[in-house]
Short mmCIF file of all heavy atoms in Angstrom, two decimals:
data_model
loop_
_atom_site.label_atom_id
_atom_site.label_comp_id
_atom_site.label_asym_id
_atom_site.label_seq_id
_atom_site.Cartn_x
_atom_site.Cartn_y
_atom_site.Cartn_z
N TYR Y 62 49.67 108.07 135.00
CA TYR Y 62 49.44 109.20 134.11
C TYR Y 62 48.03 109.71 134.34
O TYR Y 62 47.10 108.93 134.57
CB TYR Y 62 49.59 108.79 132.64
CG TYR Y 62 49.05 109.83 131.68
CD1 TYR Y 62 49.83 110.93 131.33
CD2 TYR Y 62 47.76 109.73 131.15
CE1 TYR Y 62 49.34 111.91 130.47
CE2 TYR Y 62 47.26 110.70 130.30
CZ TYR Y 62 48.06 111.79 129.97
OH TYR Y 62 47.57 112.76 129.13
N GLU Y 63 47.85 111.01 134.27
CA GLU Y 63 46.51 111.57 134.32
C GLU Y 63 46.40 112.71 133.32
O GLU Y 63 47.37 113.44 133.06
CB GLU Y 63 46.12 112.03 135.72
CG GLU Y 63 46.95 113.16 136.30
CD GLU Y 63 46.45 113.57 137.68
OE1 GLU Y 63 45.33 113.17 138.06
OE2 GLU Y 63 47.18 114.30 138.38
N GLY Y 64 45.21 112.83 132.75
CA GLY Y 64 44.97 113.87 131.76
C GLY Y 64 43.54 113.78 131.28
O GLY Y 64 42.77 112.89 131.66
N GLY Y 65 43.19 114.70 130.41
CA GLY Y 65 41.82 114.75 129.89
C GLY Y 65 41.45 113.49 129.13
O GLY Y 65 42.30 112.86 128.48
N GLY Y 66 40.19 113.08 129.25
CA GLY Y 66 39.71 111.90 128.57
C GLY Y 66 38.26 112.04 128.16
O GLY Y 66 37.68 113.13 128.22
N GLY Y 67 37.65 110.92 127.80
CA GLY Y 67 36.29 110.93 127.26
C GLY Y 67 36.36 110.87 125.74
O GLY Y 67 37.19 111.55 125.12
N ASN Y 68 35.52 110.04 125.13
CA ASN Y 68 35.62 109.81 123.69
C ASN Y 68 35.55 111.09 122.87
O ASN Y 68 36.38 111.34 121.98
CB ASN Y 68 34.52 108.85 123.25
CG ASN Y 68 34.69 107.46 123.83
OD1 ASN Y 68 35.75 107.14 124.34
ND2 ASN Y 68 33.66 106.65 123.75
N ALA Y 69 34.54 111.91 123.13
CA ALA Y 69 34.37 113.13 122.34
C ALA Y 69 35.50 114.12 122.59
O ALA Y 69 36.04 114.72 121.65
CB ALA Y 69 33.02 113.78 122.65
N ALA Y 70 35.88 114.29 123.85
CA ALA Y 70 36.95 115.21 124.18
C ALA Y 70 38.27 114.77 123.55
O ALA Y 70 39.04 115.59 123.05
CB ALA Y 70 37.10 115.34 125.69
N ASN Y 71 38.55 113.46 123.58
CA ASN Y 71 39.76 112.94 122.95
C ASN Y 71 39.76 113.21 121.45
O ASN Y 71 40.78 113.60 120.86
CB ASN Y 71 39.90 111.44 123.20
CG ASN Y 71 40.31 111.12 124.62
OD1 ASN Y 71 40.82 111.97 125.34
ND2 ASN Y 71 40.09 109.88 125.03
N SER Y 72 38.61 113.01 120.81
CA SER Y 72 38.50 113.25 119.37
C SER Y 72 38.71 114.72 119.04
O SER Y 72 39.44 115.06 118.10
CB SER Y 72 37.13 112.80 118.86
OG SER Y 72 36.96 111.40 119.02
N ALA Y 73 38.07 115.59 119.82
CA ALA Y 73 38.22 117.03 119.58
C ALA Y 73 39.66 117.47 119.79
O ALA Y 73 40.21 118.27 119.02
CB ALA Y 73 37.28 117.81 120.51
N HIS Y 74 40.30 116.94 120.84
CA HIS Y 74 41.69 117.26 121.15
C HIS Y 74 42.61 116.86 119.99
O HIS Y 74 43.45 117.64 119.54
CB HIS Y 74 42.08 116.53 122.44
CG HIS Y 74 43.42 116.89 122.98
ND1 HIS Y 74 44.60 116.34 122.50
CD2 HIS Y 74 43.79 117.74 123.98
CE1 HIS Y 74 45.62 116.83 123.18
NE2 HIS Y 74 45.16 117.69 124.08
N ALA Y 75 42.43 115.64 119.48
CA ALA Y 75 43.27 115.15 118.39
C ALA Y 75 43.04 115.95 117.11
O ALA Y 75 43.99 116.32 116.41
CB ALA Y 75 43.00 113.67 118.15
N MET Y 76 41.78 116.23 116.80
CA MET Y 76 41.47 117.00 115.58
C MET Y 76 42.09 118.39 115.64
O MET Y 76 42.66 118.88 114.66
CB MET Y 76 39.96 117.12 115.41
CG MET Y 76 39.24 115.83 115.05
SD MET Y 76 37.45 116.11 114.90
CE MET Y 76 36.84 114.43 114.87
N ALA Y 77 41.96 119.03 116.81
CA ALA Y 77 42.49 120.39 116.94
C ALA Y 77 44.01 120.42 116.76
O ALA Y 77 44.55 121.32 116.13
CB ALA Y 77 42.10 120.96 118.30
N LEU Y 78 44.69 119.42 117.32
CA LEU Y 78 46.15 119.35 117.15
C LEU Y 78 46.53 119.15 115.69
O LEU Y 78 47.47 119.77 115.19
CB LEU Y 78 46.72 118.20 117.99
CG LEU Y 78 46.77 118.42 119.51
CD1 LEU Y 78 47.25 117.16 120.21
CD2 LEU Y 78 47.68 119.60 119.87
N LEU Y 79 45.80 118.28 115.00
CA LEU Y 79 46.09 118.01 113.59
C LEU Y 79 45.80 119.21 112.70
O LEU Y 79 46.40 119.34 111.62
CB LEU Y 79 45.27 116.80 113.11
CG LEU Y 79 45.67 115.44 113.69
CD1 LEU Y 79 44.63 114.39 113.32
CD2 LEU Y 79 47.05 115.02 113.17
N LEU Y 80 44.90 120.08 113.13
CA LEU Y 80 44.49 121.21 112.30
C LEU Y 80 45.22 122.50 112.63
O LEU Y 80 44.87 123.55 112.11
CB LEU Y 80 42.98 121.42 112.45
CG LEU Y 80 42.10 120.32 111.83
CD1 LEU Y 80 40.64 120.50 112.24
CD2 LEU Y 80 42.23 120.34 110.31
N GLN Y 81 46.21 122.43 113.49
CA GLN Y 81 46.98 123.63 113.81
C GLN Y 81 47.88 123.99 112.63
O GLN Y 81 48.63 123.16 112.13
CB GLN Y 81 47.82 123.42 115.07
CG GLN Y 81 47.01 123.39 116.34
CD GLN Y 81 47.89 123.26 117.58
OE1 GLN Y 81 49.11 123.09 117.48
NE2 GLN Y 81 47.28 123.33 118.74
N SER Y 82 47.79 125.24 112.20
CA SER Y 82 48.62 125.72 111.11
C SER Y 82 48.78 127.23 111.20
O SER Y 82 47.78 127.95 111.22
CB SER Y 82 48.03 125.34 109.75
OG SER Y 82 48.77 125.94 108.69
N PRO Y 83 50.02 127.72 111.27
CA PRO Y 83 50.22 129.18 111.34
C PRO Y 83 50.04 129.87 110.00
O PRO Y 83 49.89 131.09 109.94
CB PRO Y 83 51.67 129.30 111.82
CG PRO Y 83 52.33 128.06 111.29
CD PRO Y 83 51.28 126.97 111.34
N SER Y 84 50.03 129.12 108.91
CA SER Y 84 50.01 129.73 107.58
C SER Y 84 48.70 129.54 106.82
O SER Y 84 48.47 130.20 105.81
CB SER Y 84 51.16 129.16 106.73
OG SER Y 84 51.04 127.75 106.62
N ARG Y 85 47.85 128.60 107.28
CA ARG Y 85 46.61 128.34 106.56
C ARG Y 85 45.42 128.45 107.50
O ARG Y 85 45.52 128.17 108.69
CB ARG Y 85 46.63 126.95 105.93
CG ARG Y 85 47.62 126.80 104.79
CD ARG Y 85 47.43 125.45 104.12
NE ARG Y 85 47.71 124.36 105.05
CZ ARG Y 85 47.37 123.10 104.84
NH1 ARG Y 85 46.70 122.77 103.75
NH2 ARG Y 85 47.67 122.16 105.72
N GLN Y 86 44.28 128.85 106.94
CA GLN Y 86 43.05 128.93 107.72
C GLN Y 86 42.35 127.58 107.64
O GLN Y 86 41.72 127.25 106.65
CB GLN Y 86 42.15 130.04 107.20
CG GLN Y 86 40.96 130.33 108.10
CD GLN Y 86 40.10 131.46 107.59
OE1 GLN Y 86 39.77 131.50 106.40
NE2 GLN Y 86 39.73 132.39 108.45
N LEU Y 87 42.47 126.81 108.70
CA LEU Y 87 41.90 125.48 108.75
C LEU Y 87 40.64 125.46 109.62
O LEU Y 87 40.40 126.40 110.39
CB LEU Y 87 42.94 124.49 109.29
CG LEU Y 87 44.18 124.31 108.41
CD1 LEU Y 87 45.19 123.41 109.10
CD2 LEU Y 87 43.82 123.76 107.04
N PRO Y 88 39.84 124.41 109.53
CA PRO Y 88 38.61 124.35 110.33
C PRO Y 88 38.87 124.48 111.83
O PRO Y 88 39.90 124.03 112.33
CB PRO Y 88 38.04 122.98 110.00
CG PRO Y 88 38.58 122.66 108.65
CD PRO Y 88 39.95 123.26 108.62
N LYS Y 89 37.93 125.11 112.51
CA LYS Y 89 37.97 125.17 113.97
C LYS Y 89 37.24 123.97 114.54
O LYS Y 89 36.35 123.39 113.91
CB LYS Y 89 37.31 126.45 114.47
CG LYS Y 89 38.17 127.68 114.37
CD LYS Y 89 37.61 128.81 115.22
CE LYS Y 89 38.60 129.97 115.32
NZ LYS Y 89 38.13 130.99 116.29
N VAL Y 90 37.61 123.60 115.76
CA VAL Y 90 36.98 122.47 116.43
C VAL Y 90 36.23 122.97 117.65
O VAL Y 90 36.82 123.61 118.53
CB VAL Y 90 38.02 121.41 116.84
CG1 VAL Y 90 37.33 120.24 117.56
CG2 VAL Y 90 38.79 120.91 115.63
#
Side-chain angles (χ1 to χ4, degrees):
Y62 167 82
E63 64 178 346
N68 294 346
N71 286 342
S72 296
H74 187 278
M76 291 179 193
L78 287 175
L79 290 170
L80 291 170
Q81 287 183 355
S82 173
S84 59
R85 292 187 297 165
Q86 189 178 46
L87 296 175
K89 281 195 170 187
V90 179

